[in-house]
């Protein structure tokens, strides 16, 4: 039976980083995955260009951009392995990249460059890769961990669980990490799909469907949290970065509010149009401010016939209100089928923030998305995967 110092389960972003770092310290490492390639999510991420980090992840602002029952938990790993560390690695491999917006760094070329880079690092760290391998069982005794694989039985001193969350089962996501956490006595926080499009009941959807394909810059809010980014109408409901971001905060039964004119004083704009063009139809006035079909839908919602010159100040205030805080009540989300990440996971109370090691099970570590740490859209989740993987790789 082969023995390794470290076995890493899951060859995604976090698992590869953990294996590389443990290997670089001279530990013998086996990295196991049931997929036939490493880093499937890296390959499809960022629209195929991999938004591999966000330069704000460790700034003061960035600290609020990780959701968890203990938002401070992530700070230790994030401050020791920073976006600059990953950028230096990317630069060492000559991978060209650019900042798209809001600190988000994307490859200029295909995302597969990141996987090629990590595979090269794995080779240099002498990590043994076992892909296309089913993990049948994991157990622990005084000697360490025993892992039954479809093609071998292996043992190790340390075990790093990096099997990700539940998002996109079609790409190989399973609940294995959560099962192992429970098996070893760690608590779980509630898990739910996050960074996911929101859906609507049939009546509302019928109306929204006509807008399918329209994008608008908007501020989308839930309580005190708001995001100014693109909003996209789809035939299933609402999507786009602003909606994906707010989906991590939204809960069933809640409404969201949309400011369709984030940079304009809507009341002022309509008053000016009322004065300048009093004989123009209201729909036309709204159409001057918004995409035509959206203007038409809002006009119908407000029952706005006639010319803008005939508008009372009261009616005008109603129009202003729908433009600045259009209230929408989603009924659900598209779920794990399309969610970019899973909110919740292994309870951070049972993990050491510095090493990601289980407090009560020596040698056991959980890294990446399986842990109850979820970043905003925009490179924050990969940065957490690199940083948490790195931290466990120093300790395993
Ligand atoms: P990840 O899910 O990457 O890896 C887990 C690995 O474990 C997989 O290789 C899987 O096959 C393996 N595994 C699971 N169960 C197993 C089992 N039972 N047996 C064996 N192996 C098993 N983030 C970001 O920062 N920037 C971005 O641009 C994007 N873009 C993006 C697009 C899309 C479409 C998605 C779905 C997600 C993103 N993300 C993202 C999120 C990002 O992909 C995610 O946060 C990281 O991949 C998490 O890394 P992990 O290594 O923790 O899990």
């Amino acid at each position: 039976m082969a023995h390794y110092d470290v076995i890493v389960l899951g060859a995604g972003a976090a698992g590869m980083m953990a294996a590389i770092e443990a290997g670089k310290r001279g530990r013998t490492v086996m990295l196991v995955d049931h997929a036939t390639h490493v880093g499937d999510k890296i390959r499809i991420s960022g629209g195929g260009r991999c938004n591999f980090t966000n330069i704000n992840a460790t700034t003061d602002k960035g600290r609020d951009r990780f959701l968890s029952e203990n938002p401070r938990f992530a700070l230790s790993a994030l401050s020791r392995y920073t976006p600059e560390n990953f950028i230096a690695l990317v630069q060492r491999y000559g991978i060209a990249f650019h900042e798209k917006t809001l600190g988000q760094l994307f490859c200029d070329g295909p995302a597969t460059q990141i996987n090629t880079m990590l595979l090269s690092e794995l080779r240099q760290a002498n990590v043994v890769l076992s892909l296309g391998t089913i993990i049948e069982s994991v157990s622990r005794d005084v000697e360490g961990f025993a892992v039954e694989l479809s093609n071998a039985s292996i043992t190790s001193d340390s075990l790093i669980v990096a099997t990700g969350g539940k998002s996109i089962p079609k790409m190989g996501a399973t609940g294995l990490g959560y099962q192992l956490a429970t098996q070893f006595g760690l608590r779980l926080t509630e898990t739910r799909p996050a960074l996911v499009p929101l859906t609507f009941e049939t009546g509302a959807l019928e109306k929204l469907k006509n807008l399918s394909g329209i994008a608008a810059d908007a501020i989308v809010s839930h309580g005190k949290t708001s995001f100014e980014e693109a909003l996209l109408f789809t035939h299933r409901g609402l999507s786009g970065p602003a909606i994906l971001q707010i989906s991590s905060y939204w809960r069933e039964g809640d409404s969201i509010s949309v400011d369709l004119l984030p940079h304009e004083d809507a009341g002022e704009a309509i008053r000016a149009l009322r004065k300048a063009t009093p004989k123009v139809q209201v729909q036309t006035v709204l159409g001057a401010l918004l995409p035509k079909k959206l203007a038409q839908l809002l006009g119908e919602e407000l029952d706005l016939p006639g010319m803008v010159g005939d508008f009372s100040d009261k009616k005008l205030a109603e129009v202003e209100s729908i433009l600045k805080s259009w209230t929408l009540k989603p009924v659900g989300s598209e779920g794990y089928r399309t969610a970019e990440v899973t909110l919740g996971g292994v309870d951070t109370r049972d993990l050491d923030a510095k090493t990601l090691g289980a407090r009560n099970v020596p040698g056991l570590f959980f890294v990446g998305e399986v842990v109850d740490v979820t970043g905003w859209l925009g490179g924050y989740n990969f940065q957490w995967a690199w940083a948490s993987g790195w931290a466990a790789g120093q300790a395993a």
Side-chain angles (χ1 to χ4, degrees):
M1 188 182 292
H3 182 85
Y4 295 87
D5 293 329
V6 184
I7 296 171
V8 182
L9 304 181
M16 283 195 276
M17 186 56 104
I20 291 164
E21 288 302 316
K24 276 175 22 190
R25 287 172 46 239
R27 312 281 280 158
T28 55
V29 183
M30 178 178 259
L31 174 58
V32 184
D33 204 297
H34 62 175
T36 49
H37 300 96
V38 301
D40 273 343
K41 284 196 181 159
I42 294 176
R43 183 173 47 79
I44 59 152
S45 66
R49 290 279 184 265
C50 189
N51 176 194
F52 57 81
T53 191
N54 191 299
I55 54 176
N56 295 317
T58 45
T59 63
D60 278 348
K61 274 191 275 168
R63 285 158 183 259
D64 299 332
R65 296 177 181 179
F66 293 90
L67 288 77
S68 168
E69 286 196 2
N70 175 9
R72 297 193 58 74
F73 177 83
L75 301 182
S76 171
L78 288 167
S79 64
R80 286 186 304 134
Y81 189 86
T82 64
E84 289 70 30
N85 292 122
F86 196 77
I87 292 166
L89 179 61
V90 165
Q91 283 173 329
R92 188 147 60 75
Y93 278 79
I95 298 172
F97 61 90
H98 61 279
E99 180 183 341
K100 194 169 173 190
T101 175
L102 304 169
Q104 304 167 4
L105 302 190
F106 284 76
C107 296
D108 291 355
T112 46
Q113 294 171 104
I114 300 290
N115 277 335
T116 306
M117 171 186 88
L118 294 168
L119 276 170
S120 165
E121 289 287 296
L122 286 167
R123 264 192 304 276
Q124 288 173 50
N126 296 315
V127 173
V128 179
L129 255 181
S130 182
L131 298 174
T133 303
I134 309 298
I135 299 160
E136 285 171 352
S137 69
V138 176
S139 58
R140 182 173 180 272
D141 62 19
V142 282
E143 306 267 300
F145 295 89
V147 181
E148 283 300 320
L149 302 174
S150 46
N151 51 9
S153 301
I154 51 174
T155 56
S156 66
D157 300 335
S158 296
L159 181 76
I160 302 179
V161 180
T163 45
K166 300 182 191 172
S167 48
I168 323 229
K170 237 168 69 186
M171 294 196 67
T174 67
L176 180 65
Y178 309 118
Q179 282 164 33
L180 291 175
T182 305
Q183 179 187 331
F184 286 105
L186 282 80
R187 290 167 285 186
L188 299 176
T189 66
E190 189 200 341
T191 49
R192 55 181 287 125
L195 299 183
V196 63
L198 296 175
T199 55
F200 291 84
E201 51 91 9
T202 325
L205 191 58
E206 265 318 301
K207 293 185 201 163
L208 292 175
K209 252 183 178 167
N210 294 331
L211 308 179
S212 179
I214 292 177
D217 187 23
I219 297 177
V220 179
S221 308
H222 174 269
K224 288 188 177 142
T225 309
S226 54
F227 294 94
E228 182 180 347
E229 285 191 66
L231 166 81
L232 178 68
F233 294 89
T234 73
H235 61 284
R236 290 199 207 95
L238 289 179
S239 187
I243 292 296
L244 300 189
Q245 296 278 36
I246 214 71
S247 73
S248 300
Y249 296 85
W250 175 83
R251 294 292 179 274
E252 284 71 11
D254 295 351
S255 295
I256 56 171
S257 161
V258 180
D259 178 349
L260 291 163
L261 292 176
H263 299 293
E264 284 198 59
D265 180 335
E268 197 53 49
I270 300 171
R271 267 189 293 277
L273 286 165
R274 180 171 67 173
K275 201 166 168 200
T277 53
K279 294 207 158 32
V280 165
Q281 292 290 313
V282 185
Q283 296 287 5
T284 314
V285 167
L286 287 180
L289 300 168
L290 297 170
K292 287 258 168 342
K293 281 187 180 168
L294 180 55
Q296 196 179 340
L297 175 78
L298 295 181
E300 283 162 12
E301 294 243 315
L302 285 172
D303 190 16
L304 293 176
M307 294 180 295
V308 67
D310 299 336
F311 258 50
S312 64
D313 282 346
K314 185 165 167 254
K315 198 74 187 165
L316 200 139
E318 270 180 46
V319 179
E320 182 178 1
S321 154
I322 203 166
L323 290 173
K324 295 302 279 183
S325 53
W326 186 24
T327 304
L328 291 160
K329 196 163 183 181
V331 287
S333 79
E334 288 186 7
Y336 289 117
R337 189 178 60 79
T338 61
E340 286 203 7
V341 286
T342 306
L343 199 68
V346 178
D347 195 322
T348 59
R349 287 177 297 175
D350 293 335
L351 297 175
D352 180 273
K354 188 168 177 214
T355 62
L356 279 300
R359 287 190 189 284
N360 296 324
V361 189
L364 179 64
F365 301 79
F366 288 85
V367 296
E369 193 178 321
V370 72
V371 179
D372 172 29
V373 172
T374 306
W376 279 10
L377 188 79
Y380 294 96
N381 285 300
F382 276 138
Q383 189 55 38
W384 166 246
W386 312 133
S388 56
W390 181 91
Q394 308 308 310

